[in-house]
Coordinates of all heavy atoms in Angstrom, one line a residue:
M1 N 3.7 10.2 8.3 CA 2.7 10.0 7.2 C 2.7 8.6 6.8 O 3.8 8.0 6.6 CB 3.2 10.9 6.1 CG 2.2 10.9 5.0 SD 2.3 12.3 3.8 CE 2.3 13.7 4.9
P2 N 1.6 7.9 6.8 CA 1.5 6.5 6.4 C 1.9 6.2 5.0 O 1.8 7.0 4.1 CB 0.0 6.2 6.6 CG -0.5 7.2 7.6 CD 0.3 8.5 7.2
F3 N 2.4 5.0 4.8 CA 2.9 4.4 3.6 C 2.0 3.2 3.4 O 1.9 2.4 4.3 CB 4.3 4.1 3.6 CG 5.2 5.4 3.7 CD1 5.6 5.8 5.0 CD2 5.6 6.2 2.6 CE1 6.3 7.0 5.1 CE2 6.3 7.3 2.8 CZ 6.6 7.7 4.0
V4 N 1.6 2.9 2.1 CA 0.9 1.7 1.8 C 1.8 0.8 0.8 O 2.2 1.4 -0.2 CB -0.5 2.1 1.1 CG1 -1.2 0.8 0.7 CG2 -1.3 2.9 2.1
H5 N 1.9 -0.4 1.2 CA 2.7 -1.3 0.4 C 1.6 -2.3 -0.2 O 0.9 -2.9 0.6 CB 3.7 -2.1 1.3 CG 4.6 -3.0 0.5 ND1 5.6 -2.4 -0.4 CD2 4.7 -4.3 0.4 CE1 6.2 -3.5 -0.9 NE2 5.7 -4.6 -0.4
E6 N 1.7 -2.5 -1.5 CA 0.7 -3.3 -2.2 C 1.4 -4.3 -3.0 O 2.4 -4.0 -3.7 CB -0.2 -2.4 -3.0 CG -1.1 -3.1 -3.8 CD -1.9 -2.2 -4.8 OE1 -2.8 -1.5 -4.3 OE2 -1.5 -2.1 -6.0
V7 N 0.9 -5.6 -2.9 CA 1.4 -6.6 -3.7 C 0.1 -7.3 -4.4 O -0.9 -7.5 -3.7 CB 2.1 -7.8 -2.8 CG1 2.4 -8.9 -3.7 CG2 3.3 -7.2 -2.2
A8 N 0.2 -7.4 -5.7 CA -1.0 -7.8 -6.5 C -0.6 -8.9 -7.4 O 0.5 -8.9 -7.9 CB -1.6 -6.7 -7.1
F9 N -1.5 -9.8 -7.8 CA -1.3 -10.7 -8.8 C -2.6 -11.3 -9.3 O -3.7 -11.0 -8.6 CB -0.5 -12.0 -8.3 CG -1.0 -12.6 -7.1 CD1 -1.8 -13.7 -7.2 CD2 -0.7 -12.1 -5.8 CE1 -2.4 -14.4 -6.1 CE2 -1.2 -12.8 -4.7 CZ -2.0 -13.9 -4.9
D10 N -2.6 -11.9 -10.5 CA -3.9 -12.5 -11.0 C -3.8 -14.0 -10.9 O -2.8 -14.6 -11.1 CB -4.0 -12.0 -12.5 CG -4.3 -10.6 -12.7 OD1 -4.8 -9.9 -11.7 OD2 -3.9 -10.0 -13.7
I11 N -5.0 -14.5 -10.8 CA -5.2 -16.0 -10.9 C -6.4 -16.3 -11.8 O -7.3 -15.5 -12.0 CB -5.4 -16.7 -9.5 CG1 -6.6 -16.1 -8.8 CG2 -4.1 -16.5 -8.6 CD1 -7.0 -16.9 -7.5
P12 N -6.4 -17.4 -12.5 CA -7.5 -17.7 -13.4 C -8.8 -17.9 -12.5 O -8.7 -18.2 -11.4 CB -7.1 -19.1 -14.0 CG -5.7 -19.3 -13.7 CD -5.3 -18.4 -12.6
V13 N -9.9 -17.5 -13.1 CA -11.2 -17.7 -12.4 C -11.4 -19.1 -11.9 O -11.9 -19.2 -10.7 CB -12.3 -17.3 -13.4 CG1 -13.7 -17.7 -12.7 CG2 -12.3 -15.8 -13.7
D14 N -11.0 -20.1 -12.6 CA -11.2 -21.5 -12.0 C -10.3 -21.8 -10.8 O -10.5 -22.8 -10.1 CB -10.9 -22.5 -13.1 CG -9.5 -22.5 -13.6 OD1 -8.7 -21.6 -13.4 OD2 -9.2 -23.5 -14.4
R15 N -9.3 -20.9 -10.4 CA -8.6 -21.1 -9.2 C -9.1 -20.2 -8.1 O -8.5 -20.2 -7.0 CB -7.1 -20.7 -9.5 CG -6.4 -21.6 -10.4 CD -5.1 -22.3 -9.9 NE -4.7 -22.1 -8.7 CZ -3.6 -21.3 -8.4 NH1 -2.9 -20.8 -9.4 NH2 -3.2 -21.2 -7.2
A16 N -10.2 -19.5 -8.3 CA -10.7 -18.6 -7.3 C -11.2 -19.4 -6.0 O -11.2 -18.8 -4.9 CB -11.9 -17.8 -7.8
I17 N -11.5 -20.6 -6.2 CA -11.8 -21.5 -5.0 C -10.6 -21.5 -4.0 O -11.0 -21.7 -2.8 CB -12.2 -23.0 -5.5 CG1 -12.8 -23.8 -4.4 CG2 -11.0 -23.7 -6.1 CD1 -14.2 -23.4 -4.0
D18 N -9.5 -21.3 -4.5 CA -8.3 -21.3 -3.5 C -8.3 -20.1 -2.6 O -7.5 -20.0 -1.6 CB -7.0 -21.2 -4.3 CG -6.6 -22.5 -5.0 OD1 -7.1 -23.5 -4.6 OD2 -5.8 -22.4 -6.0
L19 N -9.3 -19.2 -2.8 CA -9.4 -18.0 -1.8 C -10.4 -18.3 -0.8 O -10.5 -17.5 0.2 CB -9.8 -16.8 -2.6 CG -8.8 -16.2 -3.6 CD1 -9.5 -15.2 -4.6 CD2 -7.6 -15.6 -2.8
K20 N -11.2 -19.4 -0.8 CA -12.1 -19.8 0.1 C -11.5 -20.2 1.5 O -10.3 -20.7 1.5 CB -13.0 -20.9 -0.4 CG -13.8 -20.5 -1.6 CD -14.8 -19.3 -1.4 CE -15.5 -19.0 -2.7 NZ -16.1 -17.7 -2.6
I21 N -12.1 -20.1 2.6 CA -11.6 -20.5 3.9 C -11.1 -21.9 3.9 O -11.7 -22.8 3.4 CB -12.7 -20.3 5.0 CG1 -13.0 -18.8 5.1 CG2 -12.2 -20.9 6.3 CD1 -14.1 -18.4 6.1
G22 N -9.8 -22.0 4.4 CA -9.2 -23.3 4.4 C -8.4 -23.7 3.2 O -7.7 -24.7 3.2
K23 N -8.6 -23.1 2.1 CA -7.9 -23.4 0.9 C -6.6 -22.8 0.9 O -6.2 -21.9 1.6 CB -8.7 -23.0 -0.3 CG -10.1 -23.6 -0.5 CD -10.0 -25.1 -0.7 CE -11.3 -25.8 -1.0 NZ -11.2 -27.1 -1.2
G24 N -5.7 -23.3 -0.1 CA -4.3 -22.9 0.0 C -3.9 -21.5 -0.1 O -3.2 -21.0 0.7
L25 N -4.5 -20.7 -1.0 CA -4.2 -19.3 -1.2 C -4.7 -18.5 0.0 O -4.0 -17.7 0.6 CB -4.7 -18.8 -2.4 CG -4.3 -17.3 -2.8 CD1 -2.8 -17.0 -2.6 CD2 -4.8 -17.0 -4.2
Q26 N -5.8 -18.9 0.6 CA -6.5 -18.2 1.7 C -5.5 -18.4 2.9 O -5.3 -17.5 3.7 CB -7.8 -18.7 2.0 CG -8.5 -17.9 3.1 CD -8.3 -18.5 4.4 OE1 -7.9 -19.6 4.6 NE2 -8.5 -17.7 5.5
R27 N -5.0 -19.6 3.1 CA -4.1 -19.9 4.2 C -2.8 -19.1 4.1 O -2.3 -18.6 5.1 CB -3.8 -21.4 4.2 CG -4.9 -22.2 4.8 CD -4.5 -23.7 5.2 NE -3.6 -24.4 4.3 CZ -4.0 -25.2 3.3 NH1 -5.3 -25.5 3.2 NH2 -3.2 -25.7 2.6
V28 N -2.2 -19.0 2.9 CA -1.0 -18.2 2.8 C -1.3 -16.8 3.1 O -0.5 -16.2 3.8 CB -0.5 -18.3 1.3 CG1 0.7 -17.4 1.1 CG2 0.0 -19.7 1.0
I29 N -2.4 -16.2 2.6 CA -2.6 -14.8 2.9 C -3.0 -14.6 4.4 O -2.6 -13.7 5.0 CB -3.8 -14.4 2.0 CG1 -3.3 -14.3 0.5 CG2 -4.3 -13.0 2.4 CD1 -4.4 -14.0 -0.5
G30 N -3.7 -15.6 5.0 CA -3.9 -15.5 6.4 C -2.7 -15.6 7.3 O -2.5 -14.8 8.2
F31 N -1.7 -16.4 6.8 CA -0.5 -16.5 7.5 C 0.3 -15.2 7.4 O 0.8 -14.7 8.4 CB 0.3 -17.7 6.8 CG 1.8 -17.8 7.3 CD1 2.1 -18.2 8.6 CD2 2.8 -17.4 6.5 CE1 3.4 -18.3 9.0 CE2 4.1 -17.5 6.9 CZ 4.4 -17.9 8.2
L32 N 0.3 -14.7 6.2 CA 1.0 -13.4 6.1 C 0.4 -12.3 6.9 O 1.1 -11.6 7.6 CB 1.0 -13.0 4.6 CG 1.6 -11.7 4.2 CD1 3.1 -11.7 4.5 CD2 1.3 -11.4 2.7
R33 N -0.9 -12.2 6.9 CA -1.6 -11.1 7.8 C -1.4 -11.4 9.2 O -1.4 -10.5 10.0 CB -3.1 -11.2 7.5 CG -3.3 -10.6 6.0 CD -4.7 -10.5 5.6 NE -5.4 -9.5 6.5 CZ -6.7 -9.4 6.6 NH1 -7.5 -10.1 5.9 NH2 -7.3 -8.4 7.4
S34 N -1.2 -12.6 9.7 CA -1.0 -12.9 11.0 C 0.4 -12.5 11.5 O 0.6 -12.2 12.7 CB -1.3 -14.3 11.4 OG -0.3 -15.2 10.8
L35 N 1.4 -12.5 10.6 CA 2.8 -12.1 10.9 C 2.9 -10.6 11.0 O 3.8 -10.1 11.8 CB 3.7 -12.6 9.8 CG 3.8 -14.1 9.6 CD1 4.7 -14.4 8.5 CD2 4.5 -14.7 10.9
L36 N 2.2 -9.8 10.3 CA 2.5 -8.4 10.1 C 2.3 -7.6 11.5 O 3.1 -6.7 11.7 CB 1.6 -7.8 9.1 CG 1.9 -8.2 7.7 CD1 0.9 -7.7 6.6 CD2 3.3 -7.7 7.2
P37 N 1.3 -7.9 12.4 CA 1.2 -7.1 13.5 C 2.4 -7.1 14.4 O 2.6 -6.2 15.3 CB 0.0 -7.7 14.2 CG -0.8 -8.3 13.1 CD 0.2 -8.8 12.2
N38 N 3.3 -8.1 14.2 CA 4.6 -8.1 15.0 C 5.7 -7.2 14.5 O 6.7 -7.1 15.2 CB 5.0 -9.5 15.1 CG 4.1 -10.4 15.9 OD1 3.4 -10.0 16.8 ND2 4.0 -11.6 15.4
E39 N 5.4 -6.7 13.3 CA 6.5 -5.9 12.7 C 6.5 -4.4 13.2 O 5.4 -3.8 13.3 CB 6.3 -5.9 11.2 CG 6.5 -7.2 10.6 CD 7.9 -7.7 10.5 OE1 8.7 -7.0 9.9 OE2 8.2 -8.6 11.2
P40 N 7.6 -3.8 13.5 CA 7.7 -2.4 13.9 C 7.1 -1.4 12.9 O 7.3 -1.6 11.8 CB 9.2 -2.1 14.2 CG 9.8 -3.4 14.3 CD 9.0 -4.4 13.5
G41 N 6.2 -0.5 13.3 CA 5.7 0.4 12.4 C 4.4 0.0 11.7 O 3.8 0.8 11.0
F42 N 4.0 -1.3 11.9 CA 2.9 -1.7 11.2 C 1.6 -1.1 11.7 O 1.5 -0.9 12.9 CB 2.8 -3.3 11.4 CG 1.5 -3.9 10.8 CD1 1.3 -4.1 9.5 CD2 0.4 -4.2 11.7 CE1 0.1 -4.6 9.0 CE2 -0.7 -4.7 11.3 CZ -0.9 -4.9 9.9
V43 N 0.7 -0.7 10.8 CA -0.6 -0.1 11.2 C -1.7 -1.0 11.0 O -2.5 -1.3 11.8 CB -0.8 1.3 10.5 CG1 -2.1 1.8 10.8 CG2 0.4 2.2 10.8
S44 N -1.8 -1.5 9.7 CA -3.0 -2.3 9.4 C -2.7 -3.1 8.0 O -1.7 -2.8 7.4 CB -4.3 -1.5 9.2 OG -4.2 -0.7 8.1
A45 N -3.5 -4.0 7.7 CA -3.4 -4.8 6.5 C -4.8 -5.3 6.1 O -5.7 -5.4 6.9 CB -2.6 -6.0 6.6
R46 N -4.9 -5.4 4.8 CA -6.1 -6.0 4.2 C -5.8 -6.8 3.0 O -4.8 -6.5 2.3 CB -7.2 -5.0 4.0 CG -6.9 -4.0 2.9 CD -8.1 -3.0 2.9 NE -7.8 -2.0 1.9 CZ -8.6 -1.0 1.6 NH1 -9.8 -1.0 2.2 NH2 -8.4 -0.2 0.8
A47 N -6.6 -7.8 2.7 CA -6.4 -8.6 1.4 C -7.8 -8.6 0.7 O -8.8 -8.7 1.4 CB -5.9 -9.9 1.7
M48 N -7.8 -8.5 -0.6 CA -9.1 -8.4 -1.3 C -8.8 -9.0 -2.6 O -7.7 -9.2 -3.2 CB -9.6 -7.0 -1.4 CG -8.7 -6.0 -2.1 SD -9.0 -4.3 -1.6 CE -7.4 -3.9 -0.9
H49 N -10.0 -9.4 -3.3 CA -9.9 -9.9 -4.7 C -11.0 -9.3 -5.5 O -12.1 -8.8 -5.0 CB -10.0 -11.4 -4.7 CG -11.3 -12.0 -4.3 ND1 -12.4 -12.2 -5.1 CD2 -11.7 -12.5 -3.0 CE1 -13.4 -12.7 -4.4 NE2 -13.0 -12.9 -3.1
S50 N -10.9 -9.2 -6.8 CA -11.9 -8.6 -7.7 C -13.1 -9.6 -7.9 O -12.9 -10.7 -7.6 CB -11.2 -8.3 -9.1 OG -10.8 -9.5 -9.7
V51 N -14.1 -8.9 -8.2 CA -15.3 -9.7 -8.4 C -16.0 -9.3 -9.7 O -15.8 -8.2 -10.1 CB -16.4 -9.6 -7.3 CG1 -15.9 -10.2 -6.0 CG2 -16.8 -8.1 -7.0
G52 N -16.7 -10.2 -10.3 CA -17.4 -9.8 -11.6 C -16.6 -9.8 -12.9 O -17.2 -9.4 -13.9
Q53 N -15.4 -10.3 -12.8 CA -14.6 -10.4 -14.0 C -14.7 -11.8 -14.6 O -14.9 -12.7 -13.7 CB -13.1 -10.0 -13.8 CG -12.9 -8.5 -13.4 CD -11.5 -8.2 -13.1 OE1 -10.7 -9.1 -12.9 NE2 -11.2 -6.9 -13.1
S54 N -14.6 -12.0 -15.8 CA -14.9 -13.3 -16.4 C -13.6 -14.2 -16.5 O -13.8 -15.4 -16.4 CB -15.5 -13.2 -17.7 OG -14.7 -12.5 -18.6
N55 N -12.5 -13.6 -16.8 CA -11.3 -14.5 -17.1 C -10.2 -14.5 -16.0 O -9.5 -15.5 -15.9 CB -10.7 -14.1 -18.4 CG -10.2 -12.6 -18.5 OD1 -10.6 -11.8 -17.6 ND2 -9.5 -12.2 -19.4
V56 N -10.1 -13.5 -15.1 CA -9.1 -13.5 -14.1 C -9.6 -12.9 -12.8 O -10.6 -12.2 -12.8 CB -7.8 -12.7 -14.4 CG1 -7.1 -13.4 -15.6 CG2 -8.1 -11.2 -14.6
V57 N -9.0 -13.3 -11.7 CA -9.3 -12.7 -10.4 C -8.1 -12.1 -10.0 O -7.0 -12.6 -9.9 CB -9.7 -13.8 -9.4 CG1 -9.9 -13.2 -8.0 CG2 -11.0 -14.5 -9.8
H58 N -8.2 -10.7 -9.6 CA -7.1 -9.9 -9.3 C -7.1 -9.9 -7.8 O -8.1 -9.6 -7.1 CB -7.3 -8.5 -9.9 CG -6.2 -7.6 -9.7 ND1 -5.0 -7.8 -10.4 CD2 -6.0 -6.5 -8.9 CE1 -4.2 -6.8 -10.0 NE2 -4.7 -6.0 -9.2
V59 N -6.0 -10.3 -7.2 CA -5.8 -10.4 -5.8 C -4.8 -9.3 -5.4 O -3.7 -9.2 -5.9 CB -5.2 -11.8 -5.3 CG1 -5.0 -11.9 -3.8 CG2 -6.1 -12.9 -5.8
V60 N -5.2 -8.6 -4.3 CA -4.4 -7.5 -3.8 C -4.2 -7.6 -2.3 O -5.2 -7.9 -1.6 CB -5.1 -6.1 -4.1 CG1 -4.3 -4.9 -3.5 CG2 -5.4 -5.9 -5.5
I61 N -3.0 -7.5 -1.8 CA -2.7 -7.4 -0.4 C -2.0 -6.1 -0.1 O -1.0 -5.8 -0.7 CB -1.7 -8.6 -0.1 CG1 -2.3 -9.9 -0.4 CG2 -1.3 -8.6 1.4 CD1 -1.4 -11.0 -0.5
Q62 N -2.6 -5.4 0.8 CA -2.1 -4.0 1.2 C -1.7 -4.1 2.7 O -2.4 -4.5 3.5 CB -3.0 -3.0 0.9 CG -3.4 -2.7 -0.6 CD -4.4 -1.6 -0.7 OE1 -5.2 -1.3 0.1 NE2 -4.4 -0.9 -1.9
S63 N -0.6 -3.5 2.9 CA -0.2 -3.2 4.4 C 0.1 -1.7 4.5 O 0.7 -1.1 3.7 CB 0.9 -4.1 4.8 OG 2.1 -3.9 3.9
V64 N -0.2 -1.2 5.7 CA 0.0 0.3 6.0 C 1.0 0.3 7.0 O 1.0 -0.4 8.1 CB -1.3 0.9 6.4 CG1 -1.1 2.4 6.7 CG2 -2.4 0.8 5.3
W65 N 2.0 1.3 6.8 CA 3.1 1.5 7.7 C 3.2 2.9 8.1 O 3.1 3.8 7.3 CB 4.4 1.0 7.0 CG 4.3 -0.4 6.5 CD1 3.7 -0.9 5.5 CD2 4.7 -1.5 7.3 NE1 3.7 -2.3 5.4 CE2 4.3 -2.7 6.6 CE3 5.3 -1.7 8.6 CZ2 4.6 -4.0 7.0 CZ3 5.6 -3.0 9.0 CH2 5.3 -4.1 8.3
E66 N 3.4 3.1 9.4 CA 3.6 4.5 9.9 C 4.8 5.2 9.5 O 4.8 6.4 9.1 CB 3.5 4.5 11.4 CG 3.5 5.9 12.0 CD 2.3 6.6 11.8 OE1 1.1 6.0 11.6 OE2 2.3 7.8 11.6
Y67 N 6.0 4.5 9.4 CA 7.2 5.2 9.0 C 7.9 4.5 7.8 O 7.9 3.3 7.7 CB 8.2 5.1 10.2 CG 7.6 5.8 11.5 CD1 7.1 5.0 12.5 CD2 7.4 7.2 11.5 CE1 6.5 5.6 13.6 CE2 6.8 7.7 12.6 CZ 6.4 7.0 13.7 OH 5.8 7.6 14.7
W68 N 8.5 5.3 7.0 CA 9.2 4.8 5.8 C 10.3 3.8 6.2 O 10.4 2.7 5.6 CB 9.8 5.9 5.0 CG 10.5 5.5 3.8 CD1 11.9 5.6 3.6 CD2 10.0 4.9 2.6 NE1 12.2 5.1 2.4 CE2 11.1 4.7 1.8 CE3 8.7 4.6 2.2 CZ2 10.9 4.2 0.5 CZ3 8.6 4.1 1.0 CH2 9.7 3.9 0.1
D69 N 11.1 4.1 7.2 CA 12.2 3.2 7.6 C 11.8 1.8 8.1 O 12.4 0.9 7.8 CB 13.0 3.9 8.8 CG 13.9 5.1 8.3 OD1 14.1 5.1 7.0 OD2 14.3 5.9 9.1
D70 N 10.6 1.8 8.7 CA 10.0 0.6 9.1 C 9.6 -0.3 7.9 O 9.7 -1.5 7.9 CB 8.8 0.7 10.1 CG 9.3 1.2 11.5 OD1 10.4 1.0 11.9 OD2 8.5 1.9 12.1
L71 N 9.0 0.4 7.0 CA 8.5 -0.3 5.7 C 9.8 -0.8 5.0 O 9.8 -2.0 4.5 CB 7.8 0.6 4.8 CG 7.3 0.1 3.4 CD1 6.6 -1.2 3.6 CD2 6.6 1.1 2.7
I72 N 10.8 -0.1 4.9 CA 12.0 -0.6 4.2 C 12.6 -1.7 5.0 O 13.0 -2.7 4.3 CB 13.1 0.6 4.2 CG1 12.6 1.8 3.3 CG2 14.4 0.1 3.8 CD1 12.3 1.4 1.8
A73 N 12.7 -1.7 6.3 CA 13.2 -2.8 7.1 C 12.4 -4.0 6.9 O 12.8 -5.1 6.7 CB 13.3 -2.4 8.6
H74 N 11.0 -3.9 6.9 CA 10.1 -5.0 6.7 C 10.4 -5.6 5.3 O 10.4 -6.8 5.2 CB 8.7 -4.5 6.8 CG 7.7 -5.5 6.4 ND1 7.5 -6.7 7.1 CD2 7.0 -5.7 5.2 CE1 6.6 -7.5 6.4 NE2 6.3 -6.9 5.3
N75 N 10.4 -4.8 4.2 CA 10.7 -5.3 2.9 C 12.0 -6.0 2.7 O 12.2 -6.9 1.9 CB 10.6 -4.2 1.9 CG 9.1 -3.8 1.7 OD1 8.2 -4.5 2.0 ND2 8.9 -2.5 1.2
A76 N 12.9 -5.7 3.6 CA 14.3 -6.4 3.5 C 14.2 -7.7 4.3 O 15.1 -8.5 4.1 CB 15.4 -5.5 4.1
S77 N 13.2 -7.9 5.1 CA 13.1 -9.1 5.9 C 12.5 -10.3 5.2 O 12.0 -10.1 4.0 CB 12.3 -8.8 7.2 OG 10.9 -8.9 6.9
R78 N 12.5 -11.4 5.7 CA 11.9 -12.7 5.1 C 10.3 -12.5 5.2 O 9.7 -13.3 4.5 CB 12.3 -13.9 5.8 CG 13.8 -14.2 5.7 CD 14.3 -15.5 6.4 NE 13.3 -15.8 7.5 CZ 12.9 -17.1 7.7 NH1 13.4 -18.1 7.0 NH2 12.1 -17.4 8.6
M79 N 9.9 -11.7 6.0 CA 8.4 -11.6 6.1 C 7.7 -10.6 5.1 O 6.5 -10.4 5.2 CB 8.1 -10.9 7.6 CG 8.5 -11.9 8.7 SD 7.7 -13.5 8.5 CE 9.2 -14.5 8.4
A80 N 8.5 -10.1 4.2 CA 7.9 -9.2 3.2 C 6.9 -10.0 2.3 O 7.1 -11.2 2.1 CB 9.0 -8.7 2.2
A81 N 5.8 -9.5 2.0 CA 4.7 -10.1 1.4 C 5.1 -10.8 0.1 O 4.8 -12.0 -0.1 CB 3.5 -9.2 1.0
E82 N 5.9 -10.2 -0.7 CA 6.3 -10.8 -2.0 C 7.3 -12.0 -1.8 O 7.3 -12.9 -2.6 CB 7.0 -9.8 -3.0 CG 8.1 -9.0 -2.4 CD 7.6 -7.6 -1.8 OE1 6.5 -7.6 -1.2 OE2 8.4 -6.7 -1.7
K83 N 8.0 -12.0 -0.7 CA 9.0 -13.1 -0.3 C 8.1 -14.3 0.2 O 8.3 -15.4 -0.1 CB 10.0 -12.7 0.6 CG 10.9 -11.7 0.0 CD 12.0 -11.3 1.0 CE 12.9 -10.1 0.4 NZ 13.7 -9.6 1.4
V84 N 7.1 -14.0 1.1 CA 6.2 -15.1 1.7 C 5.4 -15.7 0.5 O 5.4 -16.9 0.4 CB 5.4 -14.5 2.7 CG1 4.3 -15.5 3.2 CG2 6.1 -14.1 4.0
L85 N 4.9 -14.9 -0.4 CA 4.1 -15.4 -1.5 C 4.9 -16.2 -2.4 O 4.5 -17.3 -2.9 CB 3.4 -14.2 -2.2 CG 2.3 -13.6 -1.4 CD1 1.9 -12.3 -2.3 CD2 1.1 -14.4 -1.2
A86 N 6.2 -15.8 -2.7 CA 7.0 -16.5 -3.6 C 7.4 -17.9 -3.1 O 7.6 -18.8 -3.8 CB 8.3 -15.7 -3.8
E87 N 7.4 -18.1 -1.7 CA 7.7 -19.4 -1.1 C 6.6 -20.4 -1.4 O 6.9 -21.6 -1.3 CB 7.9 -19.3 0.4 CG 9.2 -18.6 0.8 CD 9.4 -18.5 2.3 OE1 8.9 -19.5 2.9 OE2 9.9 -17.6 2.8
F88 N 5.5 -19.9 -1.8 CA 4.3 -20.9 -2.0 C 4.0 -20.8 -3.5 O 2.9 -20.7 -3.9 CB 3.1 -20.4 -1.2 CG 3.3 -20.5 0.3 CD1 3.8 -19.4 1.1 CD2 3.1 -21.7 0.9 CE1 4.0 -19.5 2.4 CE2 3.3 -21.8 2.3 CZ 3.8 -20.7 3.0
G89 N 5.0 -21.2 -4.3 CA 4.9 -21.2 -5.7 C 3.8 -22.0 -6.3 O 3.2 -21.7 -7.4
G90 N 3.4 -23.1 -5.6 CA 2.4 -23.9 -6.1 C 0.9 -23.3 -5.9 O 0.1 -23.7 -6.7
V91 N 0.9 -22.4 -5.0 CA -0.4 -21.8 -4.7 C -0.5 -20.3 -5.4 O -1.4 -20.0 -6.0 CB -0.7 -21.6 -3.2 CG1 -2.0 -21.0 -2.8 CG2 -0.6 -23.0 -2.7
V92 N 0.6 -19.6 -5.3 CA 0.7 -18.2 -5.8 C 1.5 -18.4 -7.1 O 2.6 -19.0 -7.2 CB 1.4 -17.4 -4.8 CG1 1.6 -16.0 -5.3 CG2 0.6 -17.3 -3.5
P93 N 1.0 -17.7 -8.1 CA 1.8 -17.7 -9.4 C 3.2 -17.2 -9.2 O 3.4 -16.1 -8.6 CB 0.9 -16.9 -10.3 CG -0.1 -16.4 -9.6 CD -0.2 -16.8 -8.2
T94 N 4.2 -17.9 -9.7 CA 5.6 -17.4 -9.6 C 5.7 -16.4 -10.8 O 5.2 -16.6 -11.9 CB 6.6 -18.5 -9.8 OG1 6.3 -19.2 -11.0 CG2 6.6 -19.5 -8.6
G95 N 6.3 -15.2 -10.4 CA 6.4 -14.2 -11.4 C 5.0 -13.5 -11.5 O 4.0 -14.0 -10.9
G96 N 4.9 -12.4 -12.1 CA 3.6 -11.8 -12.2 C 3.1 -11.0 -11.0 O 2.0 -10.6 -10.9
L97 N 4.0 -11.0 -9.9 CA 3.6 -10.1 -8.8 C 3.9 -8.8 -9.1 O 4.9 -8.4 -9.6 CB 4.5 -10.5 -7.6 CG 4.2 -11.9 -6.9 CD1 5.1 -12.1 -5.7 CD2 2.7 -12.0 -6.5
T98 N 2.9 -7.8 -8.8 CA 3.1 -6.4 -9.0 C 3.3 -5.8 -7.6 O 2.4 -6.1 -6.8 CB 1.9 -5.8 -9.7 OG1 1.8 -6.3 -10.9 CG2 2.1 -4.3 -9.9
V99 N 4.3 -5.1 -7.4 CA 4.6 -4.5 -6.1 C 4.7 -3.0 -6.3 O 5.4 -2.5 -7.1 CB 6.0 -5.0 -5.5 CG1 6.2 -4.4 -4.1 CG2 5.9 -6.6 -5.4
R100 N 3.9 -2.3 -5.4 CA 3.9 -0.9 -5.4 C 3.8 -0.3 -4.0 O 3.3 -1.0 -3.1 CB 2.6 -0.3 -6.2 CG 2.6 -0.6 -7.7 CD 1.4 0.0 -8.3 NE 1.4 -0.2 -9.7 CZ 0.6 -1.0 -10.5 NH1 -0.2 -1.8 -9.8 NH2 0.8 -1.2 -11.7
T101 N 4.4 0.8 -3.9 CA 4.4 1.5 -2.6 C 3.9 2.9 -2.8 O 4.3 3.6 -3.7 CB 5.8 1.6 -1.9 OG1 6.3 0.3 -1.8 CG2 5.8 2.2 -0.5
Y102 N 2.9 3.3 -1.9 CA 2.4 4.6 -2.0 C 2.6 5.4 -0.7 O 2.6 4.8 0.4 CB 0.8 4.5 -2.1 CG 0.4 3.6 -3.4 CD1 0.2 2.3 -3.2 CD2 0.2 4.2 -4.6 CE1 -0.2 1.5 -4.2 CE2 -0.2 3.4 -5.7 CZ -0.4 2.0 -5.5 OH -0.7 1.2 -6.6
E103 N 2.6 6.7 -0.9 CA 2.7 7.6 0.3 C 1.3 8.4 0.3 O 0.9 8.8 -0.7 CB 3.8 8.6 0.2 CG 3.9 9.5 1.4 CD 5.1 10.5 1.4 OE1 5.7 10.6 0.3 OE2 5.4 11.0 2.3
E104 N 0.7 8.4 1.5 CA -0.6 9.1 1.7 C -0.4 10.5 1.4 O 0.6 11.2 1.9 CB -1.1 8.8 3.1 CG -2.5 9.3 3.2 CD -3.1 8.9 4.6 OE1 -3.5 7.7 4.7 OE2 -3.0 9.7 5.5
I105 N -1.4 11.1 0.7 CA -1.4 12.5 0.5 C -2.0 13.2 1.7 O -3.2 12.9 2.0 CB -2.1 12.9 -0.8 CG1 -1.4 12.2 -2.0 CG2 -2.2 14.4 -1.0 CD1 -2.1 12.3 -3.3
S106 N -1.3 14.2 2.2 CA -1.9 14.9 3.4 C -2.7 16.1 3.0 O -2.8 16.6 1.9 CB -0.8 15.4 4.3 OG 0.1 16.1 3.7

């Protein structure tokens, strides 16, 4: 049964430009998404941001994992999304990361 791992954070609207192609935050997220397919049990990933809000942009990165043990092993590795994002403190807000894991309902 698939598991969804979600990392989310907010950035000010004036920093939304960092999500455009070639900008800092987009590169970090792209780097993260390029690493995940090499991880055992990885199924898919997507990254998205909110639109139409006036004061903040909510950024969400989700990865889907086939097996719980693979997700646990991934989260313990240096490739875990929250660890990769934390390394780029100048681009990604330090602190304020929300991490949630979901199990798909069958």
